[in-house]
Amino acid sequence: MSNEVQAFTDSPPEGLVRAQRLAIQIAEEFTESVSPGMTERAVRDAIDARVVELGGTGVWTPTVVGFGVGTLSCFPTDVASDRPLWDIDLGTIDVHPVTEDGWWGDCTRTLIRGGNIPQQRALDAINSVHAHVLASARPGMRACDWFAEFQTALEPTGLLLLDRLQNIGHSLAQDSSYDLGYIDAFNETVLTGAWAVEPFIGNHLYGVKREDVVWFGPTKTTVIA
């Protein structure tokens, strides 16, 4: 396993891009393919197997899958259950692959099944909030300023920030994470390098979440897609 230096350039490291694209591919595959009746545990196990099938060496933190009430928490200590996805339901899938050269990916997507209007509104809200946060990313901004952009977008939705640590993401590096802290109201760190941004919002019934990785270079930012 190499230890490539995360240089401060406008272009994200190739290893990081490969890891993140792997995370996105798997999260979106399962967001599309999971069908009612499948359990959280079965989907988690299938995701972990898919990581290896596509060339990953494993996951750097446990894969998190939540259906229905299980979407109210999305945390590494959450254990997948035998709760099945219903035919009218929301679900969250949080994937963390590791590549052979030691780069880490991090991607969350929310799936919906059935035609429940409030659930669809919540999904639309997280997609809108997430798009605003991505669009507001600027070189030289602080983590707390980025969090303020999230709060501005969240307020009109009437939903709540559900993250138990009250943040919307964290720094990300090769073989490491969280070194520069979280994207929250208190972190005044100037954003450089890779940051996983993952607004997680909802109400007392369910949560919705979306996550991507943004590279903060000296003169521009890049959403890795």
Side-chain angles (χ1 to χ4, degrees):
M1 182 179 293
S2 67
N3 286 307
E4 181 180 339
V5 174
Q6 185 167 289
F8 186 43
T9 65
D10 275 337
S11 299
E14 292 182 1
L16 173 66
V17 173
R18 286 194 300 272
Q20 184 58 17
R21 286 177 175 169
L22 178 60
I24 294 170
Q25 176 182 342
I26 295 171
E28 294 188 348
E29 277 184 7
F30 281 85
T31 298
E32 290 296 321
S33 66
V34 171
S35 57
M38 298 179 71
T39 67
E40 294 174 348
R41 183 173 290 119
V43 173
R44 180 205 59 193
D45 292 348
I47 288 172
D48 289 349
R50 184 64 169 154
V51 168
V52 175
E53 181 183 6
L54 291 177
T57 60
V59 295
W60 58 271
T61 192
T63 300
V64 181
V65 177
F67 297 151
V69 69
T71 63
L72 286 170
S73 180
C74 188
F75 206 73
T77 55
D78 293 340
V79 178
S81 74
D82 285 327
R83 200 275 196 190
L85 182 70
W86 297 346
D87 55 0
I88 298 178
D89 223 351
L90 287 167
T92 51
I93 293 173
D94 195 351
V95 184
H96 315 94
V98 179
T99 58
E100 287 188 347
D101 52 357
W103 284 95
W104 294 2
D106 200 346
C107 181
T108 305
R109 295 291 185 262
T110 297
L111 62 88
I112 187 170
R113 298 294 181 268
N116 183 274
I117 292 174
Q119 290 179 355
Q120 184 62 55
R121 286 176 179 158
L123 183 56
D124 293 342
I126 187 57
N127 288 335
S128 177
V129 168
H130 190 62
H132 174 86
V133 173
L134 293 181
S136 67
R138 297 286 185 273
M141 74 187 310
R142 301 175 303 172
C144 56
D145 298 327
W146 207 16
F147 184 80
E149 292 286 351
F150 158 74
Q151 290 180 304
T152 298
L154 175 66
E155 184 177 358
T157 70
L159 298 174
L160 304 172
L161 175 59
L162 295 184
D163 183 86
R164 67 178 65 179
L165 300 179
Q166 292 295 287
N167 69 71
I168 61 164
H170 53 85
S171 65
L172 188 67
Q174 187 182 25
D175 293 338
S176 188
S177 186
Y178 312 109
D179 297 338
L180 301 179
Y182 296 100
I183 307 164
D184 59 24
F186 311 105
N187 188 356
E188 297 183 351
T189 299
V190 173
L191 298 164
T192 58
W195 288 76
V197 60
E198 49 183 339
F200 175 34
I201 63 177
N203 55 28
H204 64 293
L205 294 172
Y206 43 73
V208 287
K209 182 178 178 182
R210 190 176 179 94
E211 179 179 28
D212 286 286
V213 170
V214 177
W215 178 261
F216 285 80
T219 67
K220 71 175 186 178
T221 60
T222 302
V223 180
I224 299 176

